[in-house]
Every structure is written in structure tokens, then in C-alpha cells.
Amino acid sequence: MSKWTATKIKGMKGQQKISCLTAYDYTMARLVDQAGIQLILVGDSLAMTMLGYATTLPVTMEEMLHHTRAVVRGVREALVVADMPFMSYHVSPSQAVKNAGLFIKSAGADAVKVDGGAFRVPTIRALVRNGIPVLGHIGLTPQSIRSMGGYKVQGRKPDDALRLIEDAVALEKAGVFAIVLECLPKALGKDITKAVGVPTIGIGAGAGCDGQILVIHDMLGLQVEEAPKLTFVKRYANLGATTSQALKKYRREVEKGIFPANVHSF
């Protein structure tokens, strides 16, 4: 299989559902890539899953670049998209081009993701004009969590739904190759998918989207503390509990002198 590109992902609309996941390090990226996942997002969610922050807002460019480089080293085929962190593209299109350029040139990413609707069009146009593929993101955008007042489903009211459809159309015209739709009613996710000619990638936006993405820690059950119930997440494994059991067993065997046995010694 050849390397996935933004152009190939864009061409999948109406042809095949697109599978996407987050990854933040070499080992997990290697596993995700080997599973045939087409798009890997180095999400700013690493602020919470890898660095222990309460929200995505504190993560820095330096931290995102560091993790993106690790993911890129583990990938052979998937499209690697780097999530541009809070305030790395908000000031001006020129700031966005400079920082996005670092993800492409320095970290080796294939594309970047930016949050926001129609108001983000000048920034997206500047990025695309400079040869940087862009993944859009509308609906619940965690970088705007302060103004949204929490993690809430978006687009329930008719006016809000219409605005999100208009946002998606504007992003398509600006040149994005796909759009993430987060936490929307499934009917709205389907309507937006029909309204645009680029793929939609849903996360809590229903089966009508062209593809799906999840945070890998959520779908593998890798949380180290009690996680909030996310109705849109399907847990495919419970690796947190499995890992915890293995660690406790290791500790007990060391304490009792069971490990290392002769077979583990020279």
C-alpha cells in the first residue's frame, strides 16, 4: 500500500468510509499504521492523555512538535495530521503559516488541523496557498471550551445547525481536504456531509459522516483515572485494567522472589 495523502483522503468521499485515530508516540503510531488506519491525528488531546493537563489549552508548539516527530517516525502509510495548538494560529494568517510550516518541515507531518468555522477562512486560505493541506474542525471545538461553557453537543437549535452547515461550506471553499464534525446531532452530521464535497470525519456526529475518529485512549480503555462517560465512544478493549493487573502481578512476583526465575537469568 502506498502512502496516504490529503488528496487521496479527499477522493474517498462516497467511495469508502475513512477510519481515523489519534496517536501521540512512536509505538502507538506504529500499531495504528499497521492496522491500516488511513489518517492519524496527533491531537492536542495529548495535553490531557499524555501530559496530564485538565484541558487541551496549555499544550505548546514545542510539545506538539515533539510528539508529532515521534508519530511520524512510526508511520509508513497513514496520513499524519498535526493539531495546531491553542494560540498558534489565532493571531494572524502569517502566524499560522509560520507555525504550520514547522509541523510540515521540522516535524514531518503531512497536514495540519485548525478549529473554527467561516471566520477561519482567511487563515485556511493562507495555509493552502502555501502548500499546507488543512483538516477543518467544527462543532464542539475543545480550544473554544471556555466560550462554549463546557463540553456540550452543538447545533441542536435550528439557527445553530444552519450556521454549522454554512461553516462547513465555507471551509470547503477555503480549501480544506476534510472536516472533523464533533458532538453534533446525527441528523445534522448527515446534513453537513451531504452539503459539502469533501469528506466529513465524525466524532460523536453519527454514522452519516464519511469517516470516524476517536481518541485512542478512549477506545482502548487506557484511562488511568475514572473517565467521564462519553456516549459516542465504543470501547474496543480495556487496556488500562489489563495493564494495572500486570503491574501489580509484577510487583508481587518481585517481592516474593518469583521473578526473575532461572529461565530469566544468565
Side-chain angles (χ1 to χ4, degrees), residues 52-88:
Y53 293 118
T55 71
T56 65
L57 300 181
V59 72
T60 66
M61 274 292 299
E62 290 73 19
E63 290 164 335
M64 290 299 303
L65 287 166
H66 173 80
H67 285 270
T68 300
R69 292 186 187 103
V71 168
V72 168
R73 287 192 287 268
V75 171
R76 304 293 181 270
E77 296 176 359
L79 182 84
V80 178
V81 181
D83 212 347
M84 296 193 69
F86 182 60
M87 293 310 298
S88 68

Side-chain angles (χ1 to χ4, degrees), residues 1 8 12 16 46 58 94 107 112 116 128 141 158-159 217 227 232 236 250:
M1 181 68 187
K8 286 183 179 180
M12 290 179 72
Q16 178 186 334
L46 72 83
S94 61
V112 298
V128 173
T141 48
D159 288 348
H217 285 63
F232 60 84
Y236 287 80
Y250 167 75

Side-chain angles (χ1 to χ4, degrees), residues 190-209:
K190 189 173 183 179
D191 287 344
I192 293 175
T193 300
K194 290 180 178 179
V196 296
V198 296
T200 57
I201 310 297
I203 176 166
C209 298

Side-chain angles (χ1 to χ4, degrees), residues 195-241:
V196 296
V198 296
T200 57
I201 310 297
I203 176 166
C209 298
D210 297 300
Q212 299 293 327
I213 189 167
L214 287 174
V215 172
I216 197 161
H217 285 63
D218 293 338
M219 60 87 68
L220 291 180
L222 276 169
Q223 295 85 357
V224 295
E225 297 174 284
E226 188 66 29
K229 183 174 175 57
L230 301 172
T231 56
F232 60 84
V233 173
K234 180 176 180 178
R235 182 170 290 181
Y236 287 80
N238 193 10
L239 299 189

